[in-house]
Amino acid sequence: MRRGALLFLLIGLIIIIGGFAAFLLLRGGATRPNAGTEPNVPPPPTVIPLVKVVQAAVDIEANTLLNDPTLLEVVEVPITEFDEQNEFSNISDVLGKLLINPVVAGQPITRNNIRDAGLAQRLPTAAPNQPRVKAYPLVVNSLSGVADQIAINDFVDVVATFSVERQIIRPGPAQVITVNDVDQLVREYQYGETQNLLTTKTIIQRAQVLQIVRPAAPVQEGEAAQGQGAAGASNLQSSSSLPQVDASGQPITGPQLENATPPSTLTEGIWIVVLALNDQQIELLEFALQSNARIVLALRSSDDVAIEQTTGVTIDLLVREFGLPLPRPLPPRVYGEAEVFVPEPTPTPRP
């Protein structure tokens, strides 16, 4: 009897649970919308990343040197509007460039609208009450160019040594001549030899070095290249800013300079220093070069801004101001008649 009651209760519990589950299924089916009438919900939009682009902060005219950061600004634009091949993201990539065409405010700076600034755009501005400087090239070598220890933006002094010709005139013997029955003492002057006297002066101080043009690396080797280099060195030695010597190493002076060959290509040991000079300084240096003066550069310290007052140097100043002793003329060597007219026996070599 008790076992039948338990079985009846178990069957009733199963029926209740099954009915409750069926109720839940029927309720879920009734509230679920029809698949055919379900609305289409769009997915959330994709976020477009932003990138930086350099553009003009103000209207910029053509041929403007972009060395002022206030002319530029960096803004963010969608990556779809950024031209990576022609636009910039950093101001540092644009500073120092020259603008080719004008750009209005808000327009990006493009690669095809800028170029590297030339030497004319990099000339320093004039000091107060001073004229603007110009670029002037000077050919130097290891001796006149401070052994190639000069760098761009250094300051140098230019020292020139001139050779001045002086003709010596000496008085001749006095003669008595009669003019209108009156005796007069007349002394004629005789022209002697011509002497070359040297004078040295610092003609330019604190000239800024704008550029250094060194010889290109040799493109070929062997005797042919060496021959071309020797010919170029020979030609460049004719430049009046270099010491000009002959085959024996002696300085070339006088009429020999007129036949000098004009400068040619740069070779090893010879280069060009471009200096920032005003017109007056250019005239001084050009006159010195055309006068075949010896030109050397003196490198200044980075903090040296002094302008020195120099006297220049000549032989008489060395004697008078600096106490240079002058040697007395040596007595001449007088040969006797026996030394001149009596021949000496020819020495014979020892067997």
Side-chain angles (χ1 to χ4, degrees):
M1 182 66 180
R2 184 177 296 178
R3 180 179 298 177
L6 293 175
L7 181 60
F8 179 76
L9 291 174
L10 181 60
I11 294 173
L13 182 60
I14 293 173
I15 294 173
I16 293 173
I17 294 174
F20 183 72
F23 173 77
L24 293 178
L25 292 175
L26 292 175
R27 184 180 178 182
T31 57
R32 182 179 179 181
N34 190 3
T37 61
E38 182 178 358
N40 294 326
V41 178
T46 303
V47 178
I48 300 178
L50 301 178
V51 295
K52 296 180 179 180
V53 61
V54 179
Q55 66 181 21
V58 295
D59 294 344
I60 307 177
E61 298 180 356
N63 298 322
T64 300
L65 184 63
L66 301 178
N67 56 356
D68 187 1
T70 60
L71 299 177
L72 308 170
E73 63 180 0
V74 177
V75 298
E76 292 185 344
V77 298
I79 193 173
T80 55
E81 301 178 6
F82 179 70
D83 187 358
E84 184 178 1
Q85 300 297 327
N86 199 30
E87 295 177 354
F88 299 92
S89 297
N90 299 318
I91 292 183
S92 59
D93 297 334
V94 179
L95 290 178
K97 303 293 184 178
L98 185 68
L99 194 66
I100 300 176
N101 299 309
V103 178
V104 298
Q107 183 178 353
I109 306 297
T110 58
R111 299 180 188 272
N112 56 10
N113 196 25
I114 61 174
R115 66 173 178 86
D116 293 335
L119 184 58
Q121 286 77 34
R122 293 187 284 110
L123 288 175
T125 57
N129 301 323
Q130 294 295 327
R132 289 294 300 268
V133 296
K134 291 83 177 175
Y136 183 88
L138 180 66
V139 179
V140 297
N141 60 8
S142 299
L143 296 179
S144 62
V146 200
D148 201 12
Q149 299 302 306
I150 301 176
I152 296 176
N153 293 328
D154 282 347
F155 289 86
V156 296
D157 292 352
V158 181
V159 183
T161 299
F162 296 84
S163 178
V164 181
E165 293 185 353
R166 283 290 180 88
Q167 194 170 27
I168 306 301
I169 301 177
R170 295 185 176 90
Q175 298 179 358
V176 178
I177 61 175
T178 302
V179 179
N180 297 329
D181 298 331
V182 178
D183 294 337
Q184 296 181 0
L185 184 64
V186 178
R187 187 182 302 274
E188 295 183 354
Y189 287 85
Q190 301 174 352
Y191 290 91
E193 73 278 3
T194 300
Q195 294 183 351
N196 289 324
L197 305 178
L198 300 179
T199 175
T200 301
K201 187 73 169 75
T202 301
I203 59 176
I204 298 174
Q205 298 190 31
R206 294 200 78 248
Q208 184 177 358
V209 178
L210 299 176
Q211 191 70 36
I212 300 177
V213 182
R214 292 182 172 86
V219 296
Q220 54 182 341
E221 299 178 356
E223 297 181 356
Q226 294 177 359
Q228 294 177 1
S234 175
N235 291 338
L236 270 178
Q237 281 187 350
S238 63
S239 173
S240 56
S241 62
L242 301 179
Q244 303 181 44
V245 296
D246 55 17
S248 63
Q250 298 299 320
I252 300 176
T253 58
Q256 297 177 358
L257 291 173
E258 298 178 359
N259 299 325
T261 307
S264 180
T265 58
L266 292 177
T267 58
E268 184 178 0
I270 298 176
W271 57 93
I272 297 176
V273 177
V274 182
L275 302 177
L277 305 177
N278 57 40
D279 287 340
Q280 180 66 72
Q281 295 171 331
I282 293 175
E283 292 172 357
L284 290 172
L285 187 51
E286 185 65 20
F287 179 82
L289 294 176
Q290 295 302 321
S291 300
N292 296 311
R294 162 76 167 146
I295 303 294
V296 295
L297 301 181
L299 180 61
R300 279 180 172 255
S301 174
S302 58
D303 58 350
D304 185 4
V305 297
I307 301 298
E308 299 183 41
Q309 300 297 327
T310 64
T311 61
V313 177
T314 58
I315 187 64
D316 57 314
L317 283 176
L318 283 176
V319 175
R320 184 174 66 251
E321 302 294 337
F322 300 95
L324 177 69
L326 288 178
R328 293 177 61 88
L330 295 176
R333 173 68 165 88
V334 180
Y335 288 87
E337 294 182 0
E339 293 179 285
V340 176
F341 299 105
V342 178
E344 295 183 358
T346 304
T348 57
R350 179 178 299 180

